[in-house]
Amino acid sequence: MVIGGSGVDTVVRVGSLPVPLADSVGVPPITEWAGHTGGNVALGCRALGLGVTLLDFIGDDRPGTLVRERLAEGDVDFAHLISPSGTRRAVNLVDATGRRMSFYDARDPGDLRMPRDFYLSHLRRARHVHLSIVDFARFLYDDIAELGVPVSTDLHDWDGVDDHHREFALRSDVVFLSAAGAGERIASVMREILREGRAEAVIATAGAGGSYLMTRDGGRTPRPIPATAPPGPVVDSNGAGDAFVCGFLYGRLAGRAAEDCARLGAVAGAYACTGRGGSALIGPGELAAAQG
């Protein structure tokens, strides 16, 4: 089960990042793609053959329609409520190498809450819950803990300081984050998550630099996991981190060791870079073949 994090990306392709300061810059055709982190994880896990339900708020608007259509196309069970603020949006600038810069419009009002009678029946059927770091999702932790369902989250570029991410970091069994957020402090942030929270594993992704894994029983030094070469030209890194999460969770639900799960994540993340806007979703056969 995935909770929160759906939305629509507007993708603008530029020659380089940062973009030059100018009144007007010509670009190739601008595209829209429904996904965002929660949608991408739901779609990616479903492409790997897992049964997936996504719970979220969307708007009664055109972006909300795009989200519903994309999830239906990907065979994801989508149960949603209408947000008065509309569907979340982002504008992503993507350069010629596939790197991106995202401008994220979260939209959700601070008092937005998901009713218990909406989500509890779904939680009771879940083998695993992946929480996006939308604010309303933090209020589900008590019920998830009471039901004994394992939970993961992706902190994205958390710097180890911002309070918004801390509860997600400390109350999840598997924690993903980008190594870029904390920079040289990433190892100490990973150790803090393990020391102060309940996580069994913390994984910091570093793009083409691979990833770093720490587990509760694996020592105090992050173990490097090498990157996997993409099976084709790099087109777009949008969704690569979400694909890594999918590969890792696929391995975890199959009972694989944490290092094996991280290698599966690396394969899925590399594959995602070969398509536009998160459209390259690896299947179980391709994942297995890439693992040899």
Side-chain angles (χ1 to χ4, degrees), residues 3 17 34 85 122 144 169 181 200 206 209 225 231 292:
I3 297 175
L17 290 172
S85 298
H122 295 285
I144 294 170
E200 302 166 8
I225 306 294

Side-chain angles (χ1 to χ4, degrees), residues 270-289:
Y271 190 93
C273 293
T274 63
R276 293 181 182 272
S279 61
L281 303 176
I282 197 167
E286 295 156 317
L287 190 64

Side-chain angles (χ1 to χ4, degrees), residues 59-93:
D60 183 16
D61 49 25
R62 180 177 176 276
T65 298
L66 293 177
V67 170
R68 292 195 303 272
E69 291 175 348
R70 177 71 183 103
L71 293 170
E73 177 187 323
D75 195 29
V76 171
D77 176 26
F78 182 39
H80 66 277
L81 299 167
I82 297 299
S83 169
S85 298
T87 304
R88 301 175 203 95
R89 303 293 305 272
V91 175
N92 297 333
L93 306 185

Side-chain angles (χ1 to χ4, degrees), residues 9 24 122 132 174 281 284:
D9 290 322
S24 179
H122 295 285
S132 302
V174 180
L281 303 176

Side-chain angles (χ1 to χ4, degrees), residues 6 19 21 23 36 70 72 85-86 129 138 146 149-150 165 181 186 208 219 225 229 241 245 255-256 282:
S6 64
V19 295
L21 182 61
D23 181 67
H36 281 210
R70 177 71 183 103
S85 298
V129 175
R138 73 176 70 249
E146 184 175 341
V149 183
H165 303 69
I186 188 62
I225 306 294
V245 170
R256 305 280 289 269
I282 197 167

Side-chain angles (χ1 to χ4, degrees), residues 186-200:
I186 188 62
S188 64
V189 171
M190 295 172 74
R191 283 192 288 268
E192 179 186 359
I193 293 170
L194 287 171
R195 183 179 66 251
E196 303 294 335
R198 60 173 290 157
E200 302 166 8

